[in-house]
Amino acid sequence: MDMPVPDPVILAKRARIVARLAGVLPADALITDPTETRAYECDALTAYRCLPMAVVLPRTTEEVAAVMRACHEEGVKVIPRGAGTSLAGGSLPTPDAVVLGVARMNAVIETDYPNRFIRVQAGRTNLSVTGAVEAAGFFYAPDPSSQLACAIAGNIGMNSGGAHCLKYGVTTNNLLGVTMVTMAGEVVQVGGPYMDAGGLDLLGVICGSEGQLGVVTEAWLRILPKPEGARPVLMGFGSNEVAGACVSDIIKGGLLPVAIEFMDRPCIEATEAFAKAGYPDCEALLIVEVEGSPAEIDEQLARIKAIAARHNPVAYREAASEDEAKRIWLGRKSAFGAMGQMGDYICLDGTIPVSELSFVLRRIAELSDGYGLRVANVFHAGDGNMHPLIIFNANKPGDLDLAEALGADILKLCVEVGGCLTGEHGVGVEKRDLMDVQFTREDMEAQLRVKDVFDPGWLLNPAKVFPLYVTASRRAA
Amino acid sequence: MRPGSEAELAELVRVANAPFVLRGGGTRGIGAVGPGEVLETGGLSGITLYEPGALTLVVKAGTPLAQVEAALAAEGQRLPFEPPDMRGLMGRSGESTIGGVVAANASGPRRVQAGACRDSMIGVRFVDGTGTVIRNGGRVMKNVTGYDLVKLMAGSHGTLGVITEVAFKLLPAPEMGATLRVDGLEDARAVEAMAAALGSPFDVTGAAHMPGLGSFVRVEGFETSVRYRVGELTKVLSRFGAVDEADGAVWQAVRDVVPFHGRDGDVWRLAVTPSEAARLVARAGAEAALYDWGGGLVWLLVAPGVDLRARLGVFAGHATRVRGAGGTPAFPPEPAALAALSAGLRAKFDPKGLFNPGLMGAV
Amino acid sequence: MQTNFTADQLAIPALARSNEILRSCVHCGFCTATCPTYQVLGDELDSPRGRIYLIKEMLETGRAADARTVKHIDRCLSCLSCMTTCPSGVHYMHLVDHARAHIEATYKRPFTDRAMRFVLAKVLPYPMRFRVALLLAKIGRPFARLIPDARVQAMLDMVPKRVPPVSRNDDPQSFAPLGARKMRVALMTGCAQKALNTDINDATIRLLQRMGCEVVVPRGMGCCGALTHHMGREDEAHGFAAANIRAFMAEVESDGLDAIVINTSGCGTTVKDYGHMFRSGAEAEAARQVSALACDISELLVRIGLPQGEAKGLRVAYHAACSLQHGQQIKSAPKDLLKRVGFEVVEPADAHLCCGSAGTYNLLQPEISKELKARKVRTLEAKAPDVISAGNIGCMMQIGSGTGVPVVHTVELLDWATGGPKPRALTEV
């Protein structure tokens, strides 16, 4: 993976830039020593690493604006960072860039239950947004697996999804407005505590722009009343194909579970070791969750059970208690981390049409055999968002390259069957060079125009999302 | 002009040097457009792909909305956002197209639960102002590959490009629905009642208040579930007044703003924080009002030519004049910084200034 | 995560172990969310993931520790909340222990820092020295404001109003069970604890006797080694540990032991790790046996089973000591026992967060410690308890210095509920 050659002009005036930043920030909000910037050289994608010129940790929108103004005037690139949990390398620095971390901006500004929104600083973690409103019977719906740690800022940057978006949608569907600082240091408010934009849907394009259009410092989020109850059911099947067919039938059956999650054998074994959720011994596992009152849940599960029965499940178990339900989900949400016990991994994120599930799983198995690398599958089956995890050995020379080549083949397969490269993790640097598999030059050009408008100098997170050859002339200008 | 294919349309735009007024079915366009030659999308019609098992529909922009809805109904599915029919309100005839729905981001009462039109859109194709065909999103439900131009195109009222094809995610149509009514509530009280219902765990899919006609709450789903939630919501609402069940036809009246049909005056549409709605309505001095989305959307009928924004003053939200004319622009003016971004986008996507000149802020 | 150790480095057992730990980390960042210092400071460097990174670089290059790295490692509470959270099973405890030893070996701290640590290491683990120090400090406290060093002030602030007389129960001896003997257990009497509060061991002995245990206080037992271990003073720590292993094994080999009971959970975590500490060498088997016998008092009581008690009408806010909930993964046992004997049990929000005591942490990092104490006291008091209970003397002192609500050891409440005297903290109210 290539990164642009650092700008020698910027490197040469490092001292001046650091001094300017020191002038607008408290001492503990600026990190410049390489021993310490080291901790910011990557996010949750550790395959790529680079020390930034400096790291800033502002506490207010005003401090963010001051940093942005200084960087803008000096022509310094800025890499926004939330909690650093990106699996796509969304906050990978370059040597001529300043990392702007918003983790300290984690306050709740306002909660409004009658109008069903919460306004938070963007560094607040996803789960703690729900934590702030759950006593009143509400929750924030998007629930990425990293929700314990990931920040709303990053969720907005990547338009993060989660297990429950089958019913509740992803970040963009639950975002009412933002306060954003532009690269020029201007503070703008887009949207607010009301529904739908008045003019062009700028909020819609800001969400998912991977920190390339502005630094979001505050957000109005839609909160929803917590359902009366929820119950997951575990279904084990003898093969991936049968499990895939069952998913398709559930959706066709007019049911809309809040989540349908899929795990294959390697993944079941790794997560079971951590969470002890009592997952059945089988080739493929579905976790299907429905919500409502006990009677409503019973009714939906009865229908789901009838559909599942047609596929001869080897195990079928409804969670009997709140505690069991929690353990079932803990297993699923820890799947990526638990995989770390098997080896290093690359986590892919392509989405496919649900109807292609069986075919794609079979092809992945063939590709996996061909490359001689193990692939574990855990994903949101209801919406076709796959998460194949390619297991490799990072300390074995050449293994990473091999894993990346397999990853590229799997993602190309996703696009070939009518899907896309990334369903919720974002492109980052990880899938940057595959963008031209999915998009024509013109398709990408249209997207670049949006950045031209928000960040004409191409200073914000510029080496991400689009292949470098596509953005070269703009970054050079 | 009425191109018969996307390629033909692209060529038309590529060589054009005079503006167009874009038109789907001509049933819901707002604001003064033009001058320019009318460019119709009706020639781009038909369902490209419909996979009920994947809850996915891809459809050409000029396809009549009615045709889309019929095809989905045949499979027991529907568009989640309940697109309104604006003909009665706007006093127009013609056949609404799916592209027009998208361009207006037109969403009905279910928006409060299932999201707006833009929330159901998963892919789009359009021809930009240089005559280039652009594709964004796709046909899968979760997709964050590149920037989300799908959202940007939704509600852009034909100012960034000519939409040629749209992909939607769908929902199964529910087995049944039920509607509860509370009579005689003052507006502010009605908004509180709707907030109580929407803040309950009973999955309300519509909450509207039509002064003089009552306040309404809808639930949908499997029969036993609907009956249960009707019971629970009755308890929630009974502290506001007597609760009874009403005919579900009321939702079409809400969706299409039927109480305003045939009445003179300008029609405005407010997006507001619900708890502020009644106060703003009082300040508006309107002849009639209708609250949807639990009070988040307010329709107002006011005397012709009234500058409603001047009356309302500053508030969180925005006001759009849907019907009528006058000095003040139909679309809400944006703060300078946002207006600059919007103008910049428009200049980038439509450098020759071909599409709907005069609409949505200055060109 | 990829690591870069040479074959020569990996031949060193300590580095090999650290490499194994680092390789299991996937850098997912989950640990940041439950790390108390990250909650307070909001800097990756003060989170487990950041520290792992600092340690990785320091160990890989084999360089001497530098002031910046030391600053961030020193700020770690060793509460091990990260280990509970980590889905990849990263053994942070062993890694940070290794880093602390490396720092101690390669880094020369500023003079005041060294002096402070020397004094702590030479006083705290020795009950008599500590008792004298406490009495001297009581005299010195009025002058505390004259001393500029916040750490010294913190020390003086921590000195309790009452320094109890020596309890003869802590002398080596054996207590006969009431009734038939069901078990023979050794009680680890602790070091700092018995200078600060003698009621805990007294209550433990009474309760165990009542439950049919012969309770032995072995001869030759001392500090578990945790206090010095966390300061990176490995040799001293291992010295303490080795003495304890000998003391316990003497009892095992004479009349046999069913358990080694520990009522200071910080010590429990360390004793349970003796097996790892002495994994190679002559003591390996003995250390393994001692670790296997070690159990927290709450674990043993669950095993024995306490009689169901009448409702007491007393609301107990249970504070989970980190060494119990994270270090030993004992989460429900103390709460279950309290409920069983008749108390109403409530828990504070963010129960996973440390109170800031953490061994000598409150003395060495007073600012962060104070902030954590304030948070903990706030969340505890929000539950309007009649009494706060904890299973670790450090937490009791820390929380007790920030609230008017009485703070007692869980075992004092259990003793009281099963026929023992009312805990002193409750009678004084």
Side-chain angles (χ1 to χ4, degrees), chain A residues 115 167 172-173 193 196 198 201 212 225-226 228 296 299 351 355 380 383 385 422 424 438 443 447 449, chain B residues 51 111 118-119 128 135 142 144-147 200-203 222 224-225 228-229 273-275 317-318 338:
Chain A
N115 295 309
K167 175 167 181 190
T172 191
N173 311 116
D196 294 347
D201 191 353
Q212 294 196 313
K226 252 195 310 209
E228 281 184 274
E296 290 175 290
E299 184 188 14
T351 307
S355 47
H380 315 298
D383 47 35
N385 189 192
T422 168
E424 57 184 0
Q438 185 174 334
D443 293 340
Q447 297 173 40
R449 288 182 207 147
Chain B
E51 263 190 27
R111 191 263 177 268
R118 53 94 91 175
D119 294 299
D128 76 359
R135 197 174 46 104
K142 264 163 95 181
V144 297
T145 322
Y147 294 171
S200 77
F202 307 116
D203 213 9
F222 294 122
T224 49
S225 165
Y228 166 75
R229 286 182 282 149
T273 309
S275 59
H318 49 82
L338 297 189

Side-chain angles (χ1 to χ4, degrees), chain A residues 19 34-35 116 160 194 198 249 317-318 322:
Chain A
T35 312
R116 299 176 302 288
S160 304
Y194 48 86
D249 281 359
R317 199 177 89 232
E318 291 177 20
E322 182 104 339

Side-chain angles (χ1 to χ4, degrees), chain C residues 296-370:
Chain C
D296 186 72
I297 178 68
S298 60
E299 271 179 293
L300 183 70
L301 290 172
V302 165
R303 219 186 295 161
I304 294 171
L306 288 186
Q308 184 102 40
E310 300 272 305
K312 305 272 181 298
L314 203 75
R315 179 184 291 184
V316 180
Y318 172 70
H319 161 73
C322 295
S323 40
L324 260 192
Q325 62 171 341
H326 304 306
Q328 302 182 52
Q329 293 290 315
I330 295 170
K331 290 168 187 172
S332 62
K335 291 179 279 180
D336 294 346
L337 290 165
L338 287 166
K339 283 181 207 158
R340 185 164 173 83
V341 300
F343 296 104
E344 180 196 352
V345 178
V346 291
E347 273 194 282
D350 295 329
H352 64 279
L353 288 184
C354 178
C355 65
S357 165
T360 54
Y361 191 90
N362 51 351
L363 308 177
L364 295 170
Q365 299 282 344
E367 287 89 3
I368 300 170
S369 173
K370 259 187 204 148

